[in-house]
Amino acid sequence: TRLSIGYPAGVFWLPRHAGFDSAGREIFKNYDADGKYTGTSTHFSNQDKFYIDPTPGFTWGLTQQFRLQNFDLEIFLRGVQGQKIFANSLLNLGSLAYLPARNITVNALTNGFAELPQASDYWLQNASFCRLENISLGYTFNNWKAIDKLRIYFTANKLFVISDYEGMDPEISTDSPQRYIDYGYYPKARSFVIGVNVSF
């Protein structure tokens, strides 16, 4: 990432991946000083790098509540649209060249990286997502014996996330020096709660 006038803080500054040559080496798109495309090569310079803003276009949330007789259901969905994440964890596991010193991903068997990958827009992925943040189902007993109201409920948090992002979790830190960089990030935990509310 880079700090540059006219761009958001932490904007990515990366060369453009163009595939692999006949020897299996990674190649990049090259440009002249005026920004005109000149072809591809296994090397790149600063003039071959482009600014790419990872910040989302918008965030959203949706809450729905349903009641049917004594049952109640509440669902909270939220998401982010248009953000990008640099998948550094995948880069560090994404080549056959890492064997046998470390594990690799399944994609590393077929993605074409026979040498150590370099940082490029290949690893900058769309990380828009929709997450079921919370769902709660309850049943209420009214005027039950000496109790005015008894509600039993079950709640699940972060039950699933829908995203094209290939890493573990598209929702990572965006307010640190490594903003929008997935590196050593532990995904959010799923949790379940069973509870009782009693009113006398």
Side-chain angles (χ1 to χ4, degrees), residues 62-66 72-78 131-138 151 153-160 190-194:
L62 176 65
T63 299
Q64 290 288 330
Q65 294 178 326
F66 305 92
D72 62 88
L73 176 67
E74 182 171 347
I75 300 173
F76 176 36
L77 292 165
R78 65 181 184 84
R131 185 187 296 276
L132 179 56
E133 184 71 20
N134 177 276
I135 182 169
S136 182
L137 176 65
R151 178 176 178 266
Y153 65 91
F154 171 78
T155 298
N157 297 300
K158 297 176 175 56
L159 199 57
F160 64 79
R190 185 180 297 124
S191 63
F192 304 93
V193 177
I194 297 176

Side-chain angles (χ1 to χ4, degrees), residues 4-140:
S4 184
I5 296 174
Y7 292 92
V11 68
F12 287 103
W13 190 49
L14 297 166
R16 293 181 171 174
H17 174 88
F20 305 91
D21 65 13
S22 58
R25 295 173 298 183
E26 186 177 8
I27 57 176
F28 305 90
K29 294 182 179 180
N30 296 145
Y31 301 82
D32 62 21
D34 296 323
K36 183 179 179 180
Y37 176 70
T38 59
T40 62
S41 74
T42 57
H43 305 284
F44 61 87
S45 64
N46 286 344
Q47 70 183 25
D48 301 318
K49 295 181 180 180
F50 284 81
Y51 291 106
I52 305 173
D53 183 5
T55 56
F58 62 91
T59 60
W60 59 271
L62 176 65
T63 299
Q64 290 288 330
Q65 294 178 326
F66 305 92
R67 293 187 182 277
L68 178 62
Q69 297 179 352
N70 289 20
F71 286 98
D72 62 88
L73 176 67
E74 182 171 347
I75 300 173
F76 176 36
L77 292 165
R78 65 181 184 84
V80 170
Q81 185 65 36
Q83 79 168 356
K84 295 179 174 61
I85 288 178
F86 188 82
N88 202 69
S89 294
L90 296 180
L91 181 153
N92 288 332
L93 300 171
S95 171
L96 293 174
Y98 289 124
L99 293 174
R102 66 175 71 169
N103 292 327
I104 60 172
T105 61
V106 173
N107 287 342
L109 300 175
T110 56
N111 63 14
F113 285 94
E115 299 179 338
L116 296 180
Q118 299 188 63
S120 72
D121 66 347
Y122 178 92
W123 304 101
L124 193 62
Q125 297 189 2
N126 174 27
S128 300
F129 69 86
C130 169
R131 185 187 296 276
L132 179 56
E133 184 71 20
N134 177 276
I135 182 169
S136 182
L137 176 65
Y139 186 87
T140 301

